[in-house]
Amino acid sequence: MKIAIIGAGMTGSLCAHQANAQGHQVVLFEKSRGRGGRCTHKRLSWGSVDMGAPVVPATDADFNHQMQLWCDQGLAQSWPAKPLTWDANGFKADRDVPQYVFVPAMNQVCKSLTQGIQLHTGVRVSHLQPLDSGWLLWDDDHNKYGVFDAVVCTAPWPQTHALLHDNAPGMFVGEQQWQACWALALAFDAPLSLPGPLVRAKHPVLQCLVNNSDKPGRDGDGNVWTLYFNHEFSQQHVDLDEGGLIRAGLEALTDICQQPVPSVLHHYRHLWRLARPLSTEQPPGILVSQQQRLIAAGDWSLGASVQSAWQAAKQVTSSLQSMAVETVP
Ligand SMILES: Cc1cc2nc3c(=O)[nH]c(=O)nc-3n(C[C@H](O)[C@H](O)[C@H](O)COP(=O)(O)OP(=O)(O)OC[C@H]3O[C@@H](n4cnc5c(N)ncnc54)[C@H](O)[C@@H]3O)c2cc1C
């Protein structure tokens, strides 16, 4: 089959790789300039910093095995940092599960999986047109692509819903609310006084503090941190200016460290308007219209993590296999 895959994050890159390995002709569309989606990093004049998913916990045995295979291929490394939680009573050890990072940056596995696959970056698919022979894809600049036998959309649920709902209203049951997250990278002139490089915080402003320089395979002098602001704060402050965000981050950090923090040498911020689904208690699974040969899937299908993106991509691969079997006369 000729398959269009929308989105070159973890789910889309994995789907593209697996469909290509099954012998399908795959074309990948990505609205950003690069691959990785929410597993991304920013290369700055003062260093390279992960701004999306900071770490990949593997709670599922099969996914853990996959992570180890990627480690063997040099695409990932185990990160032995002991995660901590912080609340008003202080620091505690967090659940100890195997955890990894992709190296040298979080988008590395997406880059590797999509090598050799036809990829259009900087192309936002704006709508799909059904034809007797399959699907035509249109972008924001009124360019058309196709015809495709099947389309897989791996964008976050709200974007997927906007793109596919008119073509396949029956695929979507219910709503999924998503939350924003500010990520702020700070380079300090001295070490922060925190007891570990990975702290999940129950704080009204911050939800996670990560020492980027502590991760395996990164350059740096140990003083580059990414602060993840909690979803409520981020949602209420999407318009906050850079100075305001830095002030709020440093105040919260001082609160958590219980002492003044070192001076900031450099900073960079990114707002994830669609960071994660509000609740992952009842994820919808992957959405499939076998008859129309449309699939919608992402981390949101089964959770809200890199692990759930991997699991969703596996299910997409099986669905594509059964669609391909159906097309054989
Ligand atoms: C701040 C933050 C912290 C996180 N922390 C963790 C963590 O610690 N551990 C963990 O496991 N996970 C974490 N996650 C979640 C993790 O990043 C995601 O689960 C995973 O990256 C999702 O991959 P995906 O491919 O399903 O979606 P995405 O990465 O969102 O990929 C979808 C892609 O589709 C593209 N796209 C969207 N619409 C279109 C269109 N119309 N046309 C073309 N392209 C389009 C987007 O640009 C994007 O690249 C975090 C996420 C964020 C934002």
Side-chain angles (χ1 to χ4, degrees), residues 23-319:
H24 298 297
Q25 190 188 339
V26 178
V27 184
L28 195 48
F29 296 88
E30 170 53 55
K31 71 177 167 65
S32 305
R33 271 183 301 161
R35 293 159 283 185
R38 281 171 283 148
C39 270
T40 194
H41 77 121
K42 182 76 184 169
R43 204 173 296 130
L44 298 154
S45 58
W46 46 274
S48 182
V49 195
D50 296 325
M51 297 300 289
V55 58
V56 182
T59 53
D60 171 84
D62 289 341
F63 180 61
N64 192 37
H65 179 64
Q66 175 64 70
M67 287 306 308
Q68 286 169 1
L69 293 177
W70 281 332
C71 288
D72 294 344
Q73 292 166 24
L75 300 172
Q77 280 189 40
S78 166
W79 187 20
K82 294 275 176 232
L84 299 170
T85 55
W86 178 93
D87 64 18
N89 298 316
F91 293 94
K92 271 200 234 102
D94 199 1
R95 211 160 50 116
D96 205 5
V97 294
Q99 64 180 21
Y100 302 86
V101 294
F102 297 118
V103 291
M106 289 306 277
N107 64 346
Q108 186 58 34
V109 84
C110 294
K111 280 168 78 175
S112 166
L113 287 166
T114 54
Q115 249 168 30
I117 288 175
Q118 192 182 345
L119 167 69
H120 297 281
T121 51
V123 172
R124 197 186 79 90
V125 177
S126 58
H127 67 281
L128 274 62
Q129 181 186 349
L131 302 175
D132 288 342
S133 50
W135 290 101
L136 209 54
L137 267 55
W138 292 83
D139 72 12
D140 278 341
D141 298 323
H142 311 292
N143 299 308
K144 61 180 179 191
Y145 306 84
V147 176
F148 295 99
D149 299 308
V151 178
V152 180
C153 183
T154 70
W157 190 92
Q159 295 168 337
T160 293
H161 184 266
L163 192 57
L164 299 189
H165 183 263
D166 287 350
N167 293 114
M171 259 169 67
F172 295 90
V173 180
E175 284 287 312
Q176 219 187 44
Q177 302 296 325
W178 278 55
Q179 358 182 46
C181 179
W182 273 113
L184 174 65
L186 296 173
F188 294 99
D189 69 348
L192 276 189
S193 146
L194 283 169
L198 173 56
V199 179
R200 297 193 174 94
K202 291 194 179 103
H203 187 277
V205 175
L206 294 179
Q207 60 166 313
C208 191
L209 324 171
V210 185
N211 185 339
N212 196 77
S213 328
D214 187 79
K215 297 182 193 180
R218 267 66 178 171
D219 304 328
D221 59 5
N223 299 327
V224 176
W225 288 72
T226 308
L227 311 185
Y228 295 90
F229 288 69
N230 78 33
H231 296 303
E232 294 75 24
F233 179 92
S234 301
Q235 201 67 51
Q236 285 163 14
H237 295 89
V238 286
D239 295 324
L240 196 59
D241 63 26
E242 189 149 41
L245 190 74
I246 294 171
R247 266 193 306 282
L250 291 178
E251 268 170 33
L253 206 48
T254 308
D255 209 15
I256 293 171
C257 295
Q258 289 288 296
Q259 56 176 277
V261 294
S263 301
V264 174
L265 299 174
H266 307 284
H267 51 81
Y268 176 79
R269 67 178 183 153
H270 180 81
L271 175 65
W272 295 98
R273 284 185 187 275
L274 299 173
R276 288 178 132 175
L278 190 59
S279 161
T280 53
E281 268 168 31
Q282 283 187 315
I286 70 163
L287 311 178
V288 182
S289 170
Q290 187 86 9
Q291 201 193 357
Q292 291 173 293
R293 300 220 189 112
L294 278 184
I295 301 179
D299 60 337
W300 50 266
S301 301
L302 299 164
S305 63
V306 174
Q307 177 174 286
S308 60
W310 178 80
Q311 290 166 329
K314 266 180 41 172
Q315 294 191 9
V316 171
T317 305
S318 311
S319 289

